[in-house]
Amino acid sequence: MKQIKDKASEAFAHNLLGNIKFDQKAYVHSLAHYDSSLVFRRALHLNTLVANTLFNIARVYRAQGRYEEALKYLREDLEFARSLNNTRIVAATSTFIGMVYSDKRDFVKAEKYLTEGLAILSKNGLPVDRRDNYLGFARMYRQAGKHSHATAYYERYITLNDSIVNRENSLAAIQRDALYQLDKKEREIESLHEQNKVKEAQIETQNARIRFQNILMGLILLALVLISLITYVLFRYYKSKIIANNELNKLNKEIREQKEEIQAQSEELIEASETIQEINKGLENSVEERTQQLKEAYQELDMFIYRSSHDFRRPLTTFMGLAEVAKISVKDSAALELFTKVNETAHNLDRMLGKLQSVSQISSTDLILREVLFDNELNFVLDLQRKAIIEKRIRVERRVEVAVAYNSYPLIVRIILENLIENAIHFSSPVNPFIQIEVRQVKEGVDGIRINVTDNGEGVAEEFRNRLFEMYFRANERSKGNGLGLYLVKKAVEKLQGKASFEGNPGQGSCFTVFLPYFEK
């Protein structure tokens, strides 16, 4: 963003880096990035985003126990929100100010700001914001020693949280149904293409028959010409005028009758040809219209999946951030365990939404063909999975041997690597686990790239191998995945005109192999 001088996006990047450093508890670095973002956003007069950055800075100061500095930025944030007439930011900031005063044990002001936030949320607030407000009240009353009040607000929080979780589960079911409908539409399009091919074959057969009849008519005309010549020779041969005239009249009559019959057949053939052309034209228009309708439906469904999953991830990310903040501020062990489970559920839902976005990305027609740098892609994917690799103590071995540049769609290749490595981590062995990743340039009929991901995990039973790449299929009842990973691998490989295969036995690990042919850039 610095290179293209996009200040707004550079500010966004600083804000995001601040969030990452905050999650890592690197508060000094986090404040540095937030300060840089705030400078850019103030200069560009991005008032709503300025309010967001002020809120983030206050979060850092609260985590450090520097409550007065946190309140300073929160008051400025509140003034921005009120000037913008943004009730949601006003409610969220008031709630957070109340939490900070609660940490300072100033329970009068804490109750005041929490009550102001709840008053706004009760009119037009979102359930997620109202739930956070209830949690702030519960924590404040617990710290103040008013346990009956704290229990009442905890019950409100749990009730509202359960309704939010149920709604998110319903949305997930809608997403799965949308994916099914998408796959169904693809099969309908393929069926229409097959029907079109059959109709074209029928039309070609009819055209061949017409050509044959035209040739036959030409041969008949040629035969008539020969008959006329023979008649002329006979006329010259027989000197008797009477015999010659009788024979000639007879032949002429037969020729006229044959000409009339040929003319009638020719008219029938022309009429049949015109009818066939009209039918063919109508069939082509019908097929084109149905194909266009299916394409539009496919595009609308694809846009719905992408936009809905993208919109769902935004509040979900906020929810996960609030859960992490709660881990720092909440001292009750039972509440901490509840927040941990809620955070795990939110991360699982976020991963599923990411896979739904991958379905849309695979189907996109706006991809750019360029060189794939496998070392960079592997670094990116392994960094995403680093936490799970460290927790399971997995030894990762990688080898990349690509002499000639491979031009393809890097985003699609990344989806393949990410889901294969995630699958290997998920089913890794509990004893001395390892994952071997190999990317090599090979020639299997055509030049291409072969990717092998091998692990020493559970393996797959023989009866499940043919269903590994099906949507929502899980071969192991203990699996906590959503059954989309290997399905995305199959769709991505098909997009790149490659092929995927599996080898392995139960208890002896697995090896997934993907072959991707070279593209001309």
Side-chain angles (χ1 to χ4, degrees):
M1 294 308 162
K2 287 181 178 178
Q3 290 177 2
I4 66 175
K5 298 181 179 180
D6 187 345
K7 298 298 182 182
S9 296
E10 187 176 347
F12 173 81
H14 275 298
N15 193 72
L16 184 57
L17 284 168
N19 292 339
I20 294 171
K21 294 299 180 182
F22 179 82
D23 292 339
Q24 296 173 343
K25 299 183 180 180
Y27 298 129
V28 174
H29 296 292
S30 178
L31 282 174
H33 285 296
Y34 284 145
D35 288 338
S36 297
S37 177
L38 186 62
V39 170
F40 284 126
R41 288 177 171 178
R42 285 188 191 277
L44 296 172
H45 303 291
L46 303 174
N47 292 336
T48 301
L49 298 178
V50 168
N52 173 261
T53 306
L54 291 170
F55 187 89
N56 289 336
I57 293 173
R59 284 196 311 148
V60 178
Y61 283 130
R62 182 194 179 198
Q64 292 178 321
R66 298 160 66 179
Y67 300 124
E68 289 301 328
E69 291 169 285
L71 288 171
K72 171 187 174 183
Y73 281 93
L74 286 172
R75 292 188 189 102
E76 185 178 357
D77 182 19
L78 189 61
E79 291 302 319
F80 259 111
R82 286 172 175 168
S83 66
L84 295 172
N85 198 25
N86 191 321
T87 57
R88 184 180 181 188
I89 297 179
V90 171
T93 306
S94 297
T95 298
F96 197 65
I97 291 174
M99 292 180 179
V100 175
Y101 274 119
S102 179
D103 292 337
K104 291 184 63 181
R105 297 298 191 271
D106 189 343
F107 301 119
V108 174
K109 290 184 179 179
E111 187 174 21
K112 171 180 176 292
Y113 280 99
L114 287 170
T115 302
E116 290 179 1
L118 183 58
I120 298 172
L121 294 173
S122 298
K123 295 179 180 179
N124 55 4
L126 295 177
V128 173
D129 297 333
R130 199 161 62 251
R131 178 193 61 188
D132 295 340
N133 184 272
Y134 290 158
L135 182 60
F137 268 110
R139 289 181 61 256
M140 185 265 294
Y141 283 129
R142 180 174 60 82
Q143 292 172 342
K146 298 180 180 181
H147 299 293
S148 61
H149 289 72
T151 301
Y153 275 98
Y154 268 125
E155 289 178 353
R156 292 185 186 180
Y157 164 77
I158 292 172
T159 301
L160 185 56
N161 184 65
D162 289 342
S163 68
I164 292 172
V165 171
N166 290 334
R167 185 174 64 181
E168 289 175 347
N169 291 336
S170 299
L171 292 174
I174 292 172
Q175 292 292 341
R176 289 195 296 271
D177 183 67
L179 280 175
Y180 170 76
Q181 294 297 333
L182 175 63
D183 195 59
K184 182 178 178 181
K185 291 295 183 182
E186 289 180 347
R187 291 197 298 271
E188 289 180 358
I189 292 173
E190 292 177 357
S191 176
L192 278 177
H193 284 316
E194 293 297 328
Q195 293 177 10
N196 191 26
K197 289 180 180 178
V198 172
K199 293 298 183 181
E200 289 177 353
Q202 292 176 350
I203 293 170
E204 181 62 27
T205 302
Q206 291 173 346
N207 289 336
R209 186 178 300 168
I210 292 172
R211 288 195 297 270
F212 173 76
Q213 290 175 346
N214 289 335
I215 293 172
L216 182 60
M217 185 173 64
L219 292 175
I220 292 173
L221 291 174
L222 179 61
L224 291 175
V225 172
L226 292 175
I227 292 173
S228 299
L229 291 174
I230 294 171
T231 303
Y232 177 73
V233 171
L234 290 175
F235 175 76
R236 297 283 295 178
Y237 179 78
Y238 292 102
K239 294 182 179 180
S240 175
K241 293 182 179 180
I242 297 174
I243 296 174
N245 288 333
N246 290 337
E247 291 294 332
L248 183 59
N249 290 334
K250 184 179 179 180
L251 289 172
N252 287 334
K253 183 179 179 181
E254 292 177 355
I255 290 172
R256 284 195 300 271
E257 291 175 353
Q258 291 176 353
K259 282 184 177 181
E260 291 175 358
E261 184 179 353
I262 291 171
Q263 184 65 30
Q265 291 179 354
S266 176
E267 291 176 355
E268 291 177 359
L269 289 173
I270 292 172
E271 184 178 352
S273 177
E274 292 176 351
T275 302
I276 291 171
Q277 290 177 356
E278 292 178 358
I279 294 173
N280 183 30
K281 183 177 180 181
L283 179 61
E284 290 177 350
N285 292 336
S286 177
V287 170
E288 183 178 357
E289 182 180 354
R290 287 293 303 278
T291 301
Q292 183 63 30
Q293 291 175 354
L294 288 173
K295 285 182 178 178
E296 292 175 356
Y298 181 93
Q299 292 173 353
E300 291 175 357
L301 187 58
D302 183 69
M303 180 59 69
F304 170 75
I305 291 173
Y306 180 82
R307 290 297 299 273
S308 60
S309 61
H310 183 271
D311 291 343
F312 291 157
R313 291 189 76 182
R314 189 181 306 161
L316 189 62
T317 303
T318 303
F319 175 68
M320 290 188 291
L322 292 174
E324 290 296 335
V325 171
K327 288 183 180 180
I328 300 173
S329 57
V330 174
K331 306 302 181 182
D332 185 73
S333 60
L336 285 173
E337 183 179 357
L338 177 61
F339 277 119
T340 300
K341 292 181 179 179
V342 169
N343 198 19
E344 290 177 357
T345 303
H347 276 87
N348 290 334
L349 180 58
D350 184 62
R351 284 194 293 272
M352 188 191 74
L353 292 175
K355 291 186 183 298
L356 293 178
Q357 285 184 331
S358 295
V359 173
S360 177
Q361 291 168 345
I362 292 172
S363 303
S364 175
T365 58
D366 298 329
L367 298 173
I368 300 174
L369 190 67
R370 58 187 176 87
E371 181 180 358
V372 178
L373 303 176
F374 285 97
D375 279 317
N376 291 350
E377 298 299 334
L378 284 174
N379 288 337
F380 180 87
V381 173
L382 291 174
D383 282 341
L384 287 179
Q385 302 293 338
R386 189 161 305 281
K387 181 179 178 182
I389 292 172
I390 293 173
E391 288 178 351
K392 294 189 174 184
R393 298 182 179 180
I394 299 174
R395 176 168 52 89
V396 179
E397 299 176 1
R398 52 185 281 187
R399 181 168 59 185
V400 178
E401 297 179 359
V402 180
V404 179
Y406 176 69
N407 296 318
S408 184
Y409 304 114
L411 180 60
I412 304 301
V413 175
R414 181 180 297 174
I415 290 173
I416 295 172
L417 292 172
E418 182 177 355
N419 285 281
L420 287 178
I421 294 173
E422 182 183 12
N423 184 76
I425 293 172
H426 187 73
F427 295 101
S428 61
S429 172
V431 180
N432 297 325
F434 71 85
I435 299 174
Q436 294 177 341
I437 307 167
E438 184 182 39
V439 181
R440 300 183 63 184
Q441 179 183 346
V442 296
K443 185 170 185 179
E444 297 181 4
V446 295
D447 291 339
I449 299 296
R450 185 174 64 200
I451 302 172
N452 288 335
V453 178
T454 306
D455 63 73
N456 63 339
E458 304 177 12
V460 180
E462 183 69 28
E463 62 269 26
F464 297 134
R465 292 187 179 183
N466 293 332
R467 301 185 60 194
L468 279 178
F469 296 97
E470 291 181 7
M471 182 187 295
Y472 299 125
F473 176 74
R474 294 185 292 182
N476 193 323
E477 294 181 355
R478 293 182 290 104
S479 173
K480 297 182 180 179
N482 47 41
L484 288 174
L486 293 180
Y487 171 76
L488 288 174
V489 171
K490 184 191 74 168
K491 298 293 289 184
V493 170
E494 290 176 352
K495 177 77 172 181
L496 300 182
Q497 302 176 12
K499 56 184 179 180
S501 60
F502 167 82
E503 292 182 2
N505 295 310
Q508 298 181 5
S510 304
C511 178
F512 286 89
T513 300
V514 171
F515 175 78
L516 304 176
Y518 271 89
F519 286 90
E520 290 297 328
K521 189 170 182 180

